[in-house]
Amino acid sequence: MFNKILIANRGEIACRVIKTARRMGIRTVAVYSEADANARHVRMADEAVLLGPAAARESYLVADKIVDACKRTGAQAVHPGYGFLSENAGFADALAANGIAFIGPPASAIRAMGSKSEAKKLMGKAAVPLTPGYHGDDQTPALLHKEADAIGYPVLIKAAAGGGGKGMRLVEKSEDFPDALASCKREAISSFGDDHVLIEKYITKPRHIEIQVFADTLGNCVYLFERDCSVQRRHQKVLEEAPAPGMTLERRRQMGEAAVAAAKAVGYVGAGTVEFIANQDGSFYFMEMNTRLQVEHPVTEMITGQDLVEWQLRVAAGQPLPLAQEQLQLRGHALEARIYAEDANKGFLPSTGRLVRLSPPAESLNVRVDTGVEEADEITPFYDPMIAKLIVWDEHRDAALARMRKALADYQVAGVTTNIDFLSRLVACPAFAGADLDTGLIERQKEFLFPATQAVPRDALLVATVGELLWEQHEAKQAAKTSGDPHSPWHARDGWRMNLSAARMIGFRDGDSLIEALVRYQGDKWQITINGQTTLARGKKLEGDRFAVELDDRRLMASVVAVDEKRSIFLNGSTYSLLRDDPLHLVEAGGAQGGGLTAPMPGKVVALLAQPGQKVDKGAPLLILEAMKMEHTITAPAAGTVKAFCYAAGEQVADGAALVEFEGE
Ligand code: ADP
Ligand code: ADP
Ligand code: MG
């Protein structure tokens, strides 16, 4: 076994690998960019090497720098995690040339599966069932169009080098094909540096079912059952589970054997995943093989009781697979939810900022949290905005679902917008709870999943008000302690005001509405009147931002986190957001959004979609910005005229930069 390995990755997967290595007595080397100098994976590793600037292109993606870091630290092997260089055959070659082991498959297997087109050709030969479509070399647009017509619409255009749900376009009818092809190729070039595409029949109401395979260098190859990853948004996985609901023993064996055949056809070694698209009747087609550890591998670990990173390390060190096929057993049910810093109600727009509050549910045998960040860390615009993976296990799916519901309710995050509320609705949604799964579930259930924003409930408003009052008291006490005369009446915050009645107003903003809480001091209690209704309240500040609150004859535990004028209220498993409306603070009413024509985050202008001087309707697309690995379309805030664009296509823009000079009608 190795004495020391280097992890060529960051975030939760780097931390995940370090954890197993440490348990096995292997020393670890982290690598990091300038933006990650203080990141959790750097803090966890035995040593760490700086690679370069924040941009992955100049740090995590530079193979030479990683080879160099291995030489400097004496690391004998590299674990690539997922993403970054994990499926880069050139990187595997570079390591081999320097006598460093790659904890992954041989470069030849990565190459064979690296192109979805080439992989399909190979799989066809190995008699693995394929999604009907065109995966030839001729890339003439007219020919591709003809092939699409022949397959019959809807079709899916896919970048052969694509991944992560990017570089895919659904085409519903023939006349839409040319535009979709152009846009797909544009994204493919910018994201993967290769615009080769394939075309597939678009399967309606399919399920995504994948098989975990593992092979060693001695010729053994097994499958560790399946994962169902049907719950997706924009072809990206959101919730995964194992086993797949409704899977029969016979179908599991068929898919498992097809996956092992796929792995054997390319001389596979290590952990891999063969992805299938399945019809509701259970018939299935090969989609692609991912030649690395998957994000969702923990659900497989939970149902098999195995540590897949340990398996990877053993195989890379030349040892045989720890278990044979007939020794592998499947037990219970596991679910994984990806906790992201993103705004589900704004098209899943990534959110960046400091994790002022990050309090995950308690871990146990049933609840696991894989994360790369801790409270006070930052979600930066440079990398994937995943905060953590929340994994739960129980004997049956229903019990696992209940655990997931509870764990999501206990998850507290403030400082960035997260998808936690969205995930809570997802697991509560009858279609998901009833295992009526297909890749269109989120779209189909959107009414339930994206409800119109609701007013913050009265209890949360009362808690927020009590929070302000307790906070003032706390600050007054702190001030008194440090001033000369702790008993001076000037430090009291009991509502006593010279020439003023003992009543005051505390204001909040909930979206567009102003909420005024009238507070009257009554002994050690407060009479709080909101919307004409009065509640007698009392509160006690516990440690940090936690409060015990009494509202009339009820007692609640709550937490309020304040960042500038923002207030996040955690109450009964829900999070509510308010703004403190402080007349003493000069807060620009409505904010300075500038009509939405500013960059929502740092990124690159990909395309200008209008001409200067052009008159456009409200909502017309003006410009495409690529940021955080996604394309965002900037649209006209109103009917009007495009005066000028501030940047040309290809230029980088900073967060908040004005993009378009626009004149409304
Ligand atoms: P990526 O490399 O981005 O993971 P995949 O080929 O694995 O690309 O496809 C990602 C997702 O897109 C699948 O999980 C599935 O939801 C959807 N998808 C892919 N191919 C098809 C298809 N032929 N018909 C319908 N949906 C598909
Ligand atoms: P303590 O002084 O008890 O050590 P800490 O400094 O650990 O408290 O925690 C203070 C927390 O209280 C911060 O996280 C802050 O967000 C929160 N807080 C809650 N309500 C308010 C408020 N109205 N004004 C300022 N901070 C608040
Ligand atoms: Mg895939």
Side-chain angles (χ1 to χ4, degrees):
M1 187 44 69
F2 312 110
N3 297 319
K4 193 192 253 192
I5 63 168
L6 180 144
I7 298 103
N9 214 301
R10 64 179 302 283
E12 67 88 17
I13 192 62
C15 298
R16 159 76 193 85
V17 173
I18 292 171
K19 203 165 149 196
T20 291
R22 188 188 277 166
R23 182 173 57 71
M24 293 172 70
I26 301 169
R27 295 183 63 79
T28 54
V29 182
V31 290
Y32 63 99
S33 70
E34 282 161 11
D36 278 340
N38 197 31
R40 182 167 186 259
H41 74 282
V42 176
R43 302 195 293 260
M44 271 179 79
D46 295 308
E47 49 191 310
V49 179
L50 173 67
L51 294 176
R57 231 169 295 112
E58 297 172 62
S59 50
Y60 296 107
L61 287 171
V62 187
D64 289 348
K65 292 193 180 183
I66 291 174
V67 170
D68 189 53
C70 289
K71 289 190 191 153
R72 279 168 56 195
T73 57
Q76 301 150 304
V78 171
H79 194 301
Y82 53 73
F84 294 138
L85 294 168
S86 61
E87 293 179 281
N88 185 314
F91 177 56
D93 284 336
L95 291 176
N98 285 278
I100 303 159
F102 179 61
I103 304 168
S108 57
I110 302 180
R111 283 203 176 89
M113 292 296 185
S115 154
K116 292 191 208 282
S117 315
E118 296 307 309
K120 283 183 81 172
K121 286 180 201 159
L122 268 169
M123 291 304 109
K125 283 192 203 132
V128 177
L130 299 184
T131 318
Y134 171 79
H135 46 265
D137 294 328
D138 192 335
Q139 293 285 301
T140 333
L143 175 109
L144 293 172
H145 196 164
K146 221 168 72 204
E147 290 288 345
D149 288 349
I151 295 164
Y153 295 89
V155 301
L156 200 57
I157 311 175
K158 284 187 185 180
K166 287 199 74 176
M168 264 193 267
R169 293 294 181 278
L170 170 62
V171 191
E172 310 262 11
K173 46 188 193 305
S174 186
E175 56 263 44
D176 296 344
F177 189 87
D179 281 354
L181 179 66
S183 136
C184 184
K185 284 190 177 268
R186 189 173 61 226
E187 188 171 280
I189 272 285
S190 97
S191 306
F192 313 109
D194 175 358
D195 68 355
H196 195 105
V197 300
L198 63 152
I199 303 169
E200 282 182 0
K201 174 93 196 143
Y202 185 74
I203 314 284
T204 43
K205 253 191 146 232
R207 279 169 71 177
H208 172 121
I209 298 180
E210 57 184 37
I211 305 285
Q212 174 72 54
V213 292
F214 237 105
D216 62 21
T217 49
L218 311 167
N220 303 303
C221 185
V222 300
Y223 59 91
L224 289 92
F225 317 114
E226 77 281 1
R227 294 183 285 259
D228 191 313
C229 314
S230 299
V231 184
Q232 304 182 345
R233 53 129 178 118
R234 286 204 211 108
H235 308 303
Q236 286 175 10
K237 299 160 185 166
V238 173
L239 263 178
E240 301 100 344
E241 59 187 299
M247 178 64 85
T248 63
L249 289 178
E250 176 56 15
R251 184 74 71 184
R252 174 173 297 134
R253 194 184 52 73
Q254 281 173 8
M255 294 183 85
E257 287 173 0
V260 166
K264 284 190 168 160
V266 295
Y268 204 77
V269 175
T273 294
V274 181
E275 296 190 332
F276 295 102
I277 191 125
N279 284 303
Q280 292 293 326
D281 69 5
S283 56
F284 58 92
Y285 306 116
F286 171 85
M287 215 164 22
E288 63 160 346
M289 179 167 184
N290 293 322
T291 54
R292 51 168 161 87
L293 195 66
Q294 299 271 92
V295 176
E296 58 275 21
H297 75 276
V299 291
T300 300
E301 297 187 320
M302 300 295 263
I303 61 157
T304 58
Q306 303 301 312
D307 178 335
L308 298 192
V309 173
E310 177 177 344
W311 280 49
Q312 285 189 297
L313 291 166
R314 291 194 182 286
V315 165
Q319 297 180 14
L321 292 179
L323 295 176
Q325 190 67 57
E326 54 285 0
Q327 292 172 303
L328 280 160
Q329 282 186 21
L330 184 166
R331 188 169 156 213
H333 200 98
L335 297 163
E336 174 183 279
R338 301 187 184 195
I339 313 286
Y340 270 96
E342 64 183 14
D343 191 342
N345 292 323
K346 287 194 185 139
F348 297 98
L349 190 73
S351 166
T352 57
R354 190 169 296 283
L355 294 159
V356 181
R357 169 66 163 250
L358 179 60
S359 171
E363 290 195 76
S364 66
L365 287 175
N366 296 88
V367 178
R368 164 173 166 185
V369 180
D370 280 17
T371 187
V373 285
E374 283 165 13
E375 191 164 280
D377 285 351
E378 201 155 341
I379 301 292
T380 67
F382 304 111
Y383 316 108
D384 187 272
M386 186 158 76
I387 298 172
K389 303 185 309 206
L390 172 61
I391 306 109
V392 299
W393 179 92
D394 213 311
E395 294 288 347
H396 304 287
R397 189 173 190 267
D398 285 347
L401 263 173
R403 296 230 181 239
M404 181 58 92
R405 270 198 291 276
K406 167 88 169 72
L408 285 168
D410 289 347
Y411 222 120
Q412 299 190 346
V413 185
V416 297
T417 307
T418 74
N419 65 343
I420 294 174
D421 283 353
F422 169 74
L423 291 169
S424 299
R425 286 193 294 274
L426 198 50
V427 292
C429 147
F432 182 74
D436 175 15
L437 304 174
D438 71 86
T439 59
L441 186 139
I442 290 180
E443 184 57 28
R444 203 155 19 85
Q445 302 291 324
K446 60 179 177 230
E447 228 105 291
F448 185 90
L449 297 175
F450 306 97
T453 41
Q454 290 181 348
V456 172
R458 181 176 174 84
D459 276 0
L461 297 174
L462 290 166
V463 164
T465 309
V466 171
E468 297 305 305
L469 295 164
L470 287 175
W471 196 255
E472 283 178 12
Q473 278 184 353
H474 178 73
E475 285 192 323
K477 269 190 216 139
Q478 298 296 110
K481 266 190 226 153
T482 50
S483 80
D485 176 11
H487 302 292
S488 157
W490 299 107
H491 298 310
R493 285 288 189 281
D494 54 5
W496 180 86
R497 298 276 192 290
M498 226 188 296
N499 302 325
L500 278 180
S501 77
R504 57 184 287 220
M505 197 69 92
I506 294 181
F508 295 102
R509 287 195 176 271
D510 174 11
D512 291 335
S513 50
L514 175 69
I515 294 137
E516 295 192 307
L518 180 70
V519 180
R520 280 195 193 82
Y521 295 78
Q522 189 183 309
D524 64 342
K525 295 193 178 181
W526 298 292
Q527 258 187 18
I528 305 176
T529 306
I530 300 175
N531 293 332
Q533 200 186 328
T534 302
T535 301
L536 200 57
R538 181 153 62 169
K540 185 170 165 34
K541 183 179 177 302
L542 307 174
E543 83 289 351
D545 45 36
R546 298 197 329 123
F547 306 126
V549 184
E550 208 180 287
L551 303 175
D552 290 329
D553 54 357
R554 292 178 304 138
R555 285 162 183 256
L556 312 170
M557 295 296 281
S559 204
V560 181
V561 175
V563 185
D564 303 328
E565 73 275 21
K566 293 197 196 87
R567 299 289 181 270
S568 303
I569 299 117
F570 298 98
L571 180 66
N572 293 332
S574 290
T575 308
Y576 306 99
S577 302
L578 292 171
L579 289 181
R580 173 73 200 267
D581 187 73
D582 188 344
L584 298 178
H585 268 163
L586 285 175
V587 187
E588 280 171 68
Q593 287 117 341
L597 295 177
T598 53
M601 62 193 68
K604 191 174 89 183
V605 175
V606 181
L608 307 178
L609 304 176
Q611 300 295 324
Q614 191 179 331
K615 278 199 187 332
V616 295
D617 291 334
K618 178 174 179 185
L622 301 181
L623 171 153
I624 297 178
L625 182 74
E626 194 198 74
M628 295 187 87
K629 306 203 272 172
M630 268 164 59
E631 282 193 357
H632 307 281
T633 305
I634 307 291
T635 57
T641 309
V642 178
K643 289 271 158 202
F645 286 102
C646 311
Y647 296 89
E651 283 187 307
Q652 274 318 121
V653 298
D655 188 12
L659 299 171
V660 187
E661 279 178 38
F662 187 82
E663 196 175 86
E665 260 170 18

